[in-house]
Amino acid sequence: MAAADEILPLVADSDAPRAGSRFMRPVEALAAALLMVVVLQLLANALSRYLLHLPIIWGDEVASIAFIWLAMLGSLVAIDRNEHLRLTLFVRAMPERLQRFVDTLALLLVAAFLLALAYPAYDYASEEAYITLPALGIAGSFRAAALPVGICGMAALAVAHAVRRSKLIDILISLAVVAAALGALWLAAPALIKAGNVTILLFLVGFVAACLVAGVPIAFCFGIGTICYLAFSTHVPLLVMIGRMDEGMSSLVLLSVPVFVLLGCVLDHTGMGKAIVDFLASLLGHVKAGMSYVLLGSLFVVSGISGSKVSDMATVAPALFPEMKRRGHKPKEMIALLATGAAMADTVPPSIVLIVLGSVAGVSIAALFTSGFVVAMVLLVALAALARFKARHEDMEGVRRAPAGLIVKTMLVAAPALLLPFFIRSAVSSGAATATEVSTFAVVYALIVGMVLYGGISLRAFYGMLVETAALTGAILVILACAVAMAWAITQAGIANDLASFMGSLPGGAWGFLAVSILVFLVLGCILEGLPAIVLMAPLMYPIARKLGINDIHYSMVIVTAMNIGLMTPPIGIGFYLACKIGQVSPDEALSAIWPYLVALFIGLIVIAAVPWISIGLL
């Protein structure tokens, strides 16, 4: 699997030299081991409580320690593999010579940001030594030490990448630019402190936007803007920023993220997803638009296992595109349907976006899962109706209904895989288990079924999945950490109150606020991708929605759907380019075909926003 809920590099730079590869093998092994500790401990805790009615009292503390170390070591692996999410649209438009310089500058900006946090992180870990974990009876610094270790390690790797991949002149000019910028900010600090909240626009909008354009990974764009704001326009110590970053990575709800990512890897490697696709193709492939229905249905069902748009598309496209081409489907139409179908399926549980949203906004994940299933059905109907209209001239010559025997055979092969998404949804939605507990049961089930019925997984492949999951987890959690710190800075500056007053004065009341929210998250979905947009904006927008009487679940479905549409909207939406890459179709060719499908999704979004019952009627 490439990445979960979209957290992967916009340009997969797998051929780039890995600066720390030789020294990273022990780190990768330790990260893989910590992931296993998290999974096994969560499983043991759940089994002990359900079977023995005896919770493991130290379980949460062990999981918390392993999780923070997994996050920081995983972020090291992600730096080494160049797997932190970044926007490359503008960099790629530059001349090649300028691209090399900007890449070097981006790496050194990341290193400068991390080095600025190194001592505050050490100081934070030292302060945690005075706190004793009640169940384990050990100092909190055992856990908090992961922060300075990870921050210093990432800084070293960023410098190593810059030295290995860049020319000396680019390094020297980049260092001069960074030094000049820091010097200018230091000299301007007294004036910036007196300027008040106008500096929010300079640092948390201007600096973040400039870093995005330069190709700095999104997590560090947030971090650079926040640290510059705190250091040069406030008297807040940077120790506070470390505390907010720790808070962003420490919610126990987030423990399910790496487990669901691992589940997606198992899905890819065992072929469980392909079995589902084959069954749906045998069932619906003989009707007009049948393969389009199969593609949409496969994305809907498979997403309930992996929780990842990228994994969904990578599973479905290779299995269906050849037959769709044979029936006369144009490649650009297939890409358009693939991209918008993946956007449709992102509310189908277990969506990692919904899990993170529940964590940062304080919304019930079980309710989000129930609502997300219904909302996805509305979008599925909108896309299926458009696909049927477009298939009115489809060439059905030679297409025959699959024999009953083949349908039964593919159903039996797919049955164990088909049970998994329904198990996940029903267990969480009914309250029988938390999303974290279900994720561990699902991984064990998928591993057993995969080994017994779908060809198995070699130890080498399983180790690779663990390392891949650790890297992706690190990339996700660093985004969460920096976005939470940035959101806190915005809130402390009083912007949240100003925003609430502005939003509350909008004409139309709740409906006007929903309309503005749709616009905001459409734009943010294009630029930032799902998780960063959610973590950054949720703490600001939800209190306003609640004051206006908008149900949390209804609001969640509206903004997540809007964000997913933005993610697939060219020319900036990165999900569109990922779909083109997976389907091996030029973005220029697919550009003209995707707009009708986006319109269908937008109509579905308007229906979801206008009819709250769709989101909350079954809760």
Side-chain angles (χ1 to χ4, degrees), residues 324-478:
M324 293 179 75
K325 287 180 181 178
R326 193 193 70 76
R327 297 195 186 190
H329 288 259
K330 296 179 180 179
K332 62 180 182 180
E333 294 286 340
M334 296 188 302
I335 290 298
L337 192 61
L338 179 71
T340 51
M344 166 273 297
D346 200 41
T347 61
V348 178
S351 165
I352 291 176
V353 169
L354 293 185
I355 294 171
V356 173
L357 177 60
S359 171
V360 299
V363 182
S364 165
I365 293 177
L368 289 173
F369 276 15
T370 300
S371 180
F373 185 83
V374 180
V375 164
M377 287 293 295
V378 173
L379 301 176
L380 176 64
V381 169
L383 290 175
L386 177 60
R388 178 61 183 86
F389 174 77
K390 284 181 166 288
R392 62 193 184 279
H393 301 305
E394 184 176 347
D395 180 13
M396 301 298 292
E397 183 179 353
V399 176
R400 298 288 182 269
R401 182 191 297 268
L406 178 61
I407 295 176
V408 172
K409 179 181 177 181
T410 56
M411 182 185 67
L412 291 176
V413 172
L418 283 168
L419 289 174
L420 185 54
F422 294 103
F423 161 70
I424 292 171
R425 291 167 194 149
S426 60
V428 176
S429 301
S430 67
T434 66
T436 304
E437 292 167 346
V438 170
S439 66
T440 56
F441 294 144
V443 165
V444 173
Y445 173 85
L447 284 172
I448 293 174
V449 170
M451 287 186 289
V452 174
L453 298 178
Y454 295 97
I457 304 172
S458 68
L459 288 177
R460 183 184 182 90
F462 185 65
Y463 175 75
M465 286 190 283
L466 293 176
V467 175
E468 187 178 346
T469 300
L472 187 52
T473 300
I476 291 172
L477 291 176
V478 169

Side-chain angles (χ1 to χ4, degrees), residues 499-521:
L499 182 64
S501 299
F502 170 73
M503 290 289 194
S505 65
L506 288 172
W511 296 111
F513 175 73
L514 276 176
V516 172
S517 296
I518 288 173
L519 179 61
V520 167
F521 280 92

